[in-house]
Amino acid sequence: MSMDGRGTSALDRLRARYDQEARVCPECGFEDEAGSWRVQTTGSRVYYRHLCPSCGSRSTRVLRLGGSRDDE
């Protein structure tokens, strides 16, 4: 993936930004330097998930697409 933003989609660039953030687990404090965010889409939402390799805690960020709001 190109880090300068060319040749990638907006969703790829957002994942790259999440990957550059410090990945410190809010539950156990483990810093996952080698981990990355997994991406899944349902069409109306994009889910970015990171699983802590130490304790298994999951961090999730949701991007809603379109004009309607649907809370989970």
Side-chain angles (χ1 to χ4, degrees), residues 24 28 56 65:
V24 177
C28 73
L65 306 175

PDB file of all heavy atoms in Angstrom, residues 24 28 56 65:
ATOM      1  N   VAL A  24      -2.178   0.435  21.733  1.00  0.00           N
ATOM      2  CA  VAL A  24      -2.090   0.025  23.124  1.00  0.00           C
ATOM      3  C   VAL A  24      -3.477  -0.443  23.552  1.00  0.00           C
ATOM      4  O   VAL A  24      -4.460   0.288  23.430  1.00  0.00           O
ATOM      5  CB  VAL A  24      -1.607   1.185  24.016  1.00  0.00           C
ATOM      6  CG1 VAL A  24      -1.599   0.767  25.475  1.00  0.00           C
ATOM      7  CG2 VAL A  24      -0.233   1.655  23.583  1.00  0.00           C
ATOM      8  N   CYS A  28      -5.528  -4.281  28.815  1.00  0.00           N
ATOM      9  CA  CYS A  28      -4.347  -4.831  29.502  1.00  0.00           C
ATOM     10  C   CYS A  28      -3.085  -3.981  29.345  1.00  0.00           C
ATOM     11  O   CYS A  28      -2.076  -4.250  29.994  1.00  0.00           O
ATOM     12  CB  CYS A  28      -4.071  -6.258  29.034  1.00  0.00           C
ATOM     13  SG  CYS A  28      -3.390  -6.387  27.352  1.00  0.00           S
ATOM     14  N   GLY A  56      -6.914 -10.660  24.081  1.00  0.00           N
ATOM     15  CA  GLY A  56      -8.060 -10.967  23.232  1.00  0.00           C
ATOM     16  C   GLY A  56      -9.109  -9.871  23.161  1.00  0.00           C
ATOM     17  O   GLY A  56     -10.138 -10.048  22.511  1.00  0.00           O
ATOM     18  N   LEU A  65     -21.787   4.660   6.143  1.00  0.00           N
ATOM     19  CA  LEU A  65     -21.840   5.254   4.808  1.00  0.00           C
ATOM     20  C   LEU A  65     -23.268   5.630   4.478  1.00  0.00           C
ATOM     21  O   LEU A  65     -24.209   4.976   4.895  1.00  0.00           O
ATOM     22  CB  LEU A  65     -21.301   4.261   3.771  1.00  0.00           C
ATOM     23  CG  LEU A  65     -19.907   3.697   4.051  1.00  0.00           C
ATOM     24  CD1 LEU A  65     -19.554   2.656   3.020  1.00  0.00           C
ATOM     25  CD2 LEU A  65     -18.880   4.805   4.079  1.00  0.00           C
TER      26      LEU A  65
END
